[in-house]
Amino acid sequence: MRNREDIDAWLTDMDGVLVHENHALPGARALIDHWEVTHTPYLVLTNNSIYTARDLSARLRHAGLPVPEERIWTSALATADFVATQKPGGSAYVVGQAGIITALHEVGFTMTEKDPDFVVIGETRQYSFEAITTAVRLVADGARFIVTNPDATGPSADGILPATGAISALVTKATGREPYVVGKPNPMMFRSALRTIGAHSESTGMIGDRMDTDIIAGMEAGLHTVLVMTGISTADTLASYPFRPDEVLGGVGELVPSEPVTSEIEAPRSDV
């Protein structure tokens, strides 16, 4: 087991780790500030593919966490990164919203219903029978089937909503074709995040609140794993899994050194 002192880069989940219901969790601002002051490479990860990194940066800023958009890595960005390596300059039919559509455009993909290379299912609040039918027909005709994340449901003020996993299951049932799922718990998302910040698994930590996504994916990607008890997992759920994180903490504030760190950036000197 590696020591935390050996870790020089971090990946962290967002909801349940840094924020809860759009409010910063205790210690989250101190941890972000510490990483920024010490120039520690880090990325905030989320399986949500609805929003762009800019949207999520604004959400975090509203919660009191100044996270630049280049420090956010979504399943949409990971999916775009993946398909661009598989078929540079390819085409896709997308069921999704701004997050995945923008990410695919930025890697040079064309959106089309005519013989696309991929059918990509992402998170959306605007599923339509027509769009799903088109996806089914294209997958049946041979388009490669990609899903941004496996989450079957999502939350809303009125209760759970069907999410990406539920819609992709419908396409699978109709076509007999299983998708390739990019987001957590696939460690592929972590590997693409590591490439983005130039980090290595041997010296990178993953902070999460879910054993079934964050911790297992971090473990399989070879990262130092830290479970925080501010989100989904509890002591009871932790005990039910056959694997363990490297660390279990009450919250992210416990990762902030007790001694304050002074920024290496100094005020400009005057030669006059």
Side-chain angles (χ1 to χ4, degrees), residues 51-249:
Y51 304 106
T52 66
R54 182 175 299 178
D55 296 332
L56 294 171
S57 176
R59 174 192 165 191
L60 290 171
R61 188 167 59 250
H62 181 73
L65 300 177
V67 179
E69 61 181 281
E70 62 269 18
R71 292 297 187 186
I72 296 174
W73 192 246
T74 70
S75 64
L77 293 170
T79 298
D81 180 76
F82 172 72
V83 296
T85 64
Q86 297 293 302
K87 181 76 173 181
S91 61
Y93 176 74
V94 179
V95 179
Q97 290 185 221
I100 184 60
I101 293 170
T102 301
L104 288 168
H105 274 305
E106 288 180 349
V107 297
F109 259 56
T110 301
M111 306 299 113
T112 182
E113 297 182 15
K114 303 296 184 182
D115 194 27
D117 298 307
F118 300 92
V119 166
V120 179
I121 306 292
E123 201 75 41
T124 178
R125 297 293 181 263
Q126 301 169 350
Y127 290 116
S128 73
F129 184 77
E130 181 181 358
I132 295 169
T133 299
T134 299
V136 166
R137 291 171 178 169
L138 292 172
V139 169
D141 286 343
R144 284 174 272 181
F145 185 19
I146 305 290
V147 174
T148 60
N149 61 288
D151 306 64
T153 62
S156 79
D158 299 319
I160 64 170
L161 296 170
T164 311
I167 302 305
S168 68
L170 189 157
V171 177
T172 293
K173 189 70 173 179
T175 63
R177 299 272 301 279
E178 293 286 343
Y180 182 74
V181 183
V182 177
K184 298 180 292 181
N186 188 345
M188 173 68 71
M189 183 171 176
F190 288 11
R191 295 191 187 106
S192 61
L194 292 174
R195 288 197 304 271
T196 299
I197 58 175
H200 299 282
S201 59
E202 295 83 1
S203 57
T204 301
M206 172 63 200
I207 312 165
D209 70 312
R210 294 186 64 129
M211 290 289 290
D212 59 346
T213 54
D214 306 317
I215 301 306
I216 191 171
M219 181 183 69
E220 291 180 352
L223 310 182
H224 177 85
T225 53
V226 179
L227 178 71
V228 292
M229 310 299 276
T230 49
I232 298 296
S233 291
T234 65
D236 288 339
T237 57
L238 172 61
S240 69
Y241 285 90
F243 54 89
R244 291 289 181 271
D246 294 304
E247 297 185 71
V248 179
L249 304 177

Side-chain angles (χ1 to χ4, degrees), residues 8-20:
D8 55 26
W10 288 94
L11 306 178
T12 178
D13 188 35
M14 184 168 66
D15 291 297
V17 177
L18 300 178
V19 293
H20 175 67

Side-chain angles (χ1 to χ4, degrees), residues 14-71:
M14 184 168 66
D15 291 297
V17 177
L18 300 178
V19 293
H20 175 67
E21 294 183 351
N22 295 321
H23 296 286
L25 285 164
R29 175 61 186 264
L31 183 61
I32 296 297
D33 288 346
H34 172 71
W35 286 341
E36 289 288 345
V37 165
T38 57
H39 307 292
T40 299
Y42 74 93
L43 281 178
V44 176
L45 273 58
T46 177
N47 258 359
N48 191 316
S49 63
I50 290 181
Y51 304 106
T52 66
R54 182 175 299 178
D55 296 332
L56 294 171
S57 176
R59 174 192 165 191
L60 290 171
R61 188 167 59 250
H62 181 73
L65 300 177
V67 179
E69 61 181 281
E70 62 269 18
R71 292 297 187 186

